[in-house]
Amino acid sequence: MPIVQEPPEKMTFQLSLRRRGISDQAVLRAMEAIPRDVFVEPADRAYAWRDSALGIACGQTISQPFVVAYMTEQLQLQKHHRVLEIGTGSGYQAAILSRLCGHVLSIERYRTLADSARARLEKLGCNNVEVLLGDGFDIPAGAGNFDRIMVTAAMELVPEALTQRLEPGGILIAPVGPHQGTQTLIRLTRTEAGLERKALVDVRFVPALPGIAREL
């Protein structure tokens, strides 16, 4: 039987993240444990371990590993946390989160993406992730509040309806800025005095759109 040679990028995956400043050991372990190649399109599996975004179904993308690790690290997750993710996409970010917190509710507007992500997550045993077909701008009232919120698509403004879902001391991470062009990753922390805002790094994400997609 021939020996399957792993891509060089996979062998240097963790080193690349460390070199770019990711230092949280729990985040690094989660990134190592979740196979990114499961979450990309079959034609892109040879490129799965490169530090670059890749296209997926419905015109969406799977973020580059550094951005996934960086956003996750900025959430300062603890095992008891309940996390809301807006934009399931392939399910890769939700899988990383599942290793670091108690429960993840991930909302996706495209049925195709929601169904395929749900299947991948179940296959990997990410049993603390719930994938919901829905509108990320209109969270179901019964969903309650969250310790952490991560938005994985560009918002021109973070709606108050979303920040109101943060528990005291809660953290929200979102790319904020124009849909076409560069956004800034923003971290909002709910304090006793209100929302504390910090700009982090410039990023590029696909737009966050309201409603459930009529097709796909």
Side-chain angles (χ1 to χ4, degrees):
M1 181 178 293
I3 297 174
V4 178
Q5 185 70 38
E6 288 190 340
E9 294 87 354
K10 184 174 183 181
M11 299 172 68
T12 60
F13 185 67
Q14 291 283 70
L15 182 59
S16 172
L17 294 175
R18 291 174 187 272
R19 282 177 173 168
R20 296 198 63 183
I22 305 301
S23 59
D24 186 309
Q25 293 303 307
V27 173
L28 288 167
R29 285 193 297 270
M31 297 291 293
E32 178 71 14
I34 299 299
R36 189 172 185 254
D37 53 342
V38 170
F39 292 89
V40 304
E41 295 295 294
D44 288 331
R45 282 184 182 147
Y47 314 113
W49 298 98
R50 294 184 182 178
D51 194 25
S52 60
L54 294 169
I56 58 173
C58 306
Q60 304 301 294
T61 59
I62 176 173
S63 295
Q64 71 183 95
F66 170 74
V67 171
V68 171
Y70 182 81
M71 291 178 70
T72 304
E73 188 173 62
Q74 290 296 319
L75 282 182
Q76 302 169 21
L77 290 165
Q78 298 180 30
K79 281 294 187 181
H80 66 275
H81 282 159
R82 187 164 182 261
V83 180
L84 172 65
E85 179 192 29
I86 306 299
T88 312
S90 68
Y92 179 62
Q93 177 70 78
I96 299 296
L97 295 173
S98 76
R99 292 286 181 133
L100 300 164
C101 68
H103 182 264
V104 180
L105 174 63
S106 187
I107 298 180
E108 174 54 58
R109 69 189 298 268
Y110 291 99
R111 184 179 300 276
T112 295
L113 292 178
D115 289 347
S116 58
R118 192 179 296 115
R120 290 188 189 103
L121 292 163
E122 288 176 359
K123 188 173 182 180
L124 287 175
C126 300
N127 300 319
N128 60 340
V129 180
E130 177 187 358
V131 178
L132 178 68
L133 178 68
D135 181 356
F137 287 86
D138 186 18
I139 310 302
N145 292 342
F146 300 86
D147 302 294
R148 301 289 188 265
I149 298 175
M150 177 184 284
V151 181
T152 59
M155 289 184 160
E156 293 177 315
L157 292 170
V158 179
E160 186 179 354
L162 199 54
T163 59
Q164 286 179 343
R165 293 302 186 102
L166 276 178
E167 293 281 7
I171 296 173
L172 180 149
I173 298 278
V176 178
H179 284 173
Q180 304 301 323
T182 301
Q183 303 93 34
T184 300
L185 202 59
I186 299 296
R187 184 176 69 199
L188 299 176
T189 305
R190 179 170 291 286
T191 70
E192 291 183 0
L195 288 173
E196 181 181 287
R197 180 186 177 101
K198 182 176 181 179
L200 300 173
V201 295
D202 288 341
V203 289
R204 290 179 71 96
F205 277 82
V206 295
L209 301 174
I212 297 173
R214 293 184 179 182
E215 300 178 359
L216 301 176

